Amino acid sequence: MHLFRRRPLPVEIPPEMLAGLKAGILICTSPRSGSNHLAGLMAATELGNPLEWFGGRRVLAMPNYPRDPRAQVLRALKDGRSPSGIYAAKLFASQFLQVAKTVDLPASLPGLHYVRLTRRDLLGQAISWSRARQTGRFRSTEAVQNSPRYDGASIAEALEKIVLENLSWDIWLAKNGLSFLSLTYEELLANPQASLEKVAGLVGAQLTFESAESAPAPSSGLEIQRDNVNREWRERFLSQYSDPSKFNLSNHRAFGTLRNLGQRPI
């Protein structure tokens, strides 16, 4: 029986690995927030290679990719690094929850800076996530494995999970007094150059953008997947679930949070 829970320890980074690192960027986000687009833009401009190094399905499918979070830290510092010396990773709150059981992740990542990436259109984000989980197509470069079909319950579940992911990040950043750069999916789409300049400024890097005549603007290599199917699902979801007269939550964690707030004076 363990009477006291031991605080997870940071990973010891080899000196030769530390020598080549200038700064780190952790993208704190949730599924379908535009994080793949931001990651591609950052990689194209040597602001790290921010994949989901801690539990992402894409990296876990790599041959011999470690399941041990301590080994994943070293892999993130090695493969998440650009020639500029800047490394990066993107992380969902649910992934952080698992890693934090065994590793003090922030203390393991040297020179770390935080980017908080969110999406204003939460319902659009939930629809995108529900559709991607059905089709298996999380990036425009991936093939569709199954045809999408409307599932209102799946969208509602995705919406509540996204809200809880966002809440987890916001509380964690606030409780630890951490400063961060706030970006939205919408402003990233509207002005990717300005967003990249903000990220570069966070780690003291300089970006040089050539004119459109001499060189193309940085590209993530991805295309927007949103189409008429997403718009149709939004209309059907709102006709099925819209009811401004009351809260309608199915997630037990969300219900518990609201119930506790209602029982305590604020």
Side-chain angles (χ1 to χ4, degrees), residues 133-213:
R133 286 191 294 181
Q134 286 187 38
T135 63
R137 192 189 194 202
F138 288 83
R139 296 186 178 204
S140 60
T141 53
E142 297 175 333
V144 174
Q145 299 175 17
N146 301 290
S147 298
R149 61 176 180 81
Y150 174 77
D151 185 342
S154 172
I155 295 172
E157 178 189 22
L159 179 58
E160 292 178 16
K161 285 184 176 180
I162 288 167
V163 170
L164 288 173
E165 286 258 347
N166 288 339
L167 180 62
S168 297
W169 277 127
D170 293 342
I171 291 175
W172 180 78
L173 289 164
K175 287 180 70 173
N176 289 284
L178 296 172
S179 60
F180 57 92
L181 169 65
S182 180
L183 286 179
T184 67
Y185 168 75
E186 287 80 4
E187 65 183 306
L188 179 64
L189 286 184
N191 196 336
Q193 177 174 330
S195 297
L196 283 173
E197 288 175 343
K198 290 178 182 179
V199 175
L202 188 66
V203 293
Q206 294 289 331
L207 293 182
T208 301
F209 292 91
E210 303 291 341
S211 64
E213 293 77 17

Side-chain angles (χ1 to χ4, degrees), residues 45-195:
T45 50
E46 295 195 6
L47 290 172
N49 183 25
L51 300 182
E52 292 167 37
W53 297 112
F54 305 100
R57 65 182 184 89
R58 209 166 280 107
V59 297
L60 291 177
M62 295 179 180
N64 302 317
Y65 192 81
R67 264 49 178 179
D68 179 7
R70 307 186 73 82
Q72 290 175 353
V73 168
L74 300 179
R75 189 71 176 265
L77 294 177
K78 175 178 176 289
D79 294 344
R81 172 184 159 188
S82 292
S84 63
I86 298 171
Y87 72 91
K90 68 184 181 105
L91 190 66
F92 302 150
S94 52
Q95 294 168 341
F96 187 21
L97 184 65
Q98 294 302 313
V99 174
K101 294 177 181 179
T102 55
V103 171
D104 185 341
L105 188 59
S108 302
L109 300 175
L112 191 59
H113 299 77
Y114 299 94
V115 173
R116 181 75 180 92
L117 178 64
T118 57
R119 184 167 173 172
R120 295 192 192 107
D121 182 7
L122 293 176
L123 178 53
Q125 185 177 355
I127 291 171
S128 176
W129 193 14
S130 176
R131 181 175 178 178
R133 286 191 294 181
Q134 286 187 38
T135 63
R137 192 189 194 202
F138 288 83
R139 296 186 178 204
S140 60
T141 53
E142 297 175 333
V144 174
Q145 299 175 17
N146 301 290
S147 298
R149 61 176 180 81
Y150 174 77
D151 185 342
S154 172
I155 295 172
E157 178 189 22
L159 179 58
E160 292 178 16
K161 285 184 176 180
I162 288 167
V163 170
L164 288 173
E165 286 258 347
N166 288 339
L167 180 62
S168 297
W169 277 127
D170 293 342
I171 291 175
W172 180 78
L173 289 164
K175 287 180 70 173
N176 289 284
L178 296 172
S179 60
F180 57 92
L181 169 65
S182 180
L183 286 179
T184 67
Y185 168 75
E186 287 80 4
E187 65 183 306
L188 179 64
L189 286 184
N191 196 336
Q193 177 174 330
S195 297

Side-chain angles (χ1 to χ4, degrees), residues 123 127 150 152-153 155-156 159-160 233-249:
L123 178 53
I127 291 171
Y150 174 77
I155 295 172
L159 179 58
E160 292 178 16
W233 285 14
R234 179 188 292 270
E235 292 176 2
R236 292 183 63 178
F237 181 85
L238 290 175
S239 67
Q240 180 182 5
Y241 282 86
S242 179
D243 183 357
S245 68
K246 65 177 185 300
F247 289 125
N248 184 17
L249 302 175

